[in-house]
C-alpha cells in the first residue's frame, strides 16, 4: 500500500507507520486504504495544529478582542475523525476488549479441572 502522491512528508510518515503497525497485527486490508489515508491526513493535521498553537498560543486578537485560535477547532475536528478511523479499523479500546473476551481461556492450570481429571 502506498501513500497518495499529494501527501506531505508528515502525512506520508503517518501513513507508513499506520500500515506497518496494521500489518504487524494482521489487520492490514487493502479495502481500508481510504480509511488509512484519512487517518494519516488527520494525524498530520493534528500535528500541524499543535505546532501553530505552541507558536501562536490558544487565543488570537480579533477585531473585538481575544478569540480562540482557529487551529483549536481544526485540531478538535481532526481528533474526532482519528477516533472514528480507529473504530472503523478495529483499533479502539472496545474492539480490543471484545477480541480479548472472545479468546478461549486457558484452563490447563485450573485446580478443580485437575482434581476431576479433565486436564
Amino acid at each position: 500500500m502506498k501513500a497518495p502522491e499529494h501527501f506531505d512528508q508528515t502525512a506520508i510518515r503517518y501513513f507508513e507507520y499506520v500500515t506497518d503497525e496494521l500489518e504487524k497485527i494482521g489487520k492490514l486490508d487493502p479495502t481500508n486504504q481510504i480509511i488509512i489515508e484519512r487517518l494519516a491526513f488527520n494525524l498530520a493535521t493534528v500535528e500541524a495544529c499543535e505546532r501553530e498553537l505552541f507558536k501562536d498560543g490558544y487565543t488570537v486578537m480579533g477585531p473585538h478582542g481575544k478569540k480562540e485560535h482557529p487551529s483549536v477547532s481544526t485540531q478538535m475536528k481532526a481528533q474526532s475523525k482519528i477516533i472514528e478511523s480507529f473504530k472503523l479499523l478495529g483499533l479502539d479500546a472496545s474492539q480490543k476488549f471484545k477480541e480479548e473476551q472472545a479468546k478461549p481461556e486457558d484452563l490447563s492450570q485450573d485446580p478443580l479441572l485437575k482434581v476431576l481429571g479433565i486436564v
Side-chain angles (χ1 to χ4, degrees), residues 22-39:
L22 287 171
E23 189 170 24
K24 285 180 190 175
I25 62 172
K27 288 192 172 190
L28 184 61
D29 184 352
T31 60
N32 289 334
Q33 181 162 355
I34 190 70
I35 299 168
I36 297 167
E37 289 175 6
R38 295 302 87 209
L39 175 58

Side-chain angles (χ1 to χ4, degrees), residues 5-59:
E5 291 181 18
H6 64 276
F7 271 14
D8 66 6
Q9 289 302 312
T10 305
I12 290 171
R13 188 180 78 238
Y14 279 119
F15 183 88
E16 290 171 352
Y17 175 77
V18 170
T19 54
D20 288 347
E21 293 301 311
L22 287 171
E23 189 170 24
K24 285 180 190 175
I25 62 172
K27 288 192 172 190
L28 184 61
D29 184 352
T31 60
N32 289 334
Q33 181 162 355
I34 190 70
I35 299 168
I36 297 167
E37 289 175 6
R38 295 302 87 209
L39 175 58
F41 175 81
N42 284 308
L43 288 166
T45 300
V46 167
E47 185 175 318
C49 288
E50 287 174 348
R51 266 190 252 109
E52 278 189 30
L53 292 170
F54 285 133
K55 185 180 83 175
D56 301 340
Y58 288 85
T59 58

Side-chain angles (χ1 to χ4, degrees), residues 41-103:
F41 175 81
N42 284 308
L43 288 166
T45 300
V46 167
E47 185 175 318
C49 288
E50 287 174 348
R51 266 190 252 109
E52 278 189 30
L53 292 170
F54 285 133
K55 185 180 83 175
D56 301 340
Y58 288 85
T59 58
V60 293
M61 285 303 293
H64 305 290
K66 284 187 176 184
K67 66 176 194 166
E68 183 178 77
H69 195 292
S71 288
V72 172
S73 66
T74 302
Q75 180 185 21
M76 290 172 62
K77 290 174 189 172
Q79 285 176 335
S80 71
K81 293 297 182 182
I82 290 168
I83 293 168
E84 187 178 316
S85 296
F86 278 1
K87 288 178 182 176
L88 291 171
L89 293 170
L91 301 175
D92 62 319
S94 64
Q95 182 64 28
K96 288 181 182 182
F97 180 74
K98 288 176 190 174
E99 289 173 5
E100 285 296 318
Q101 294 297 325
K103 287 182 183 176

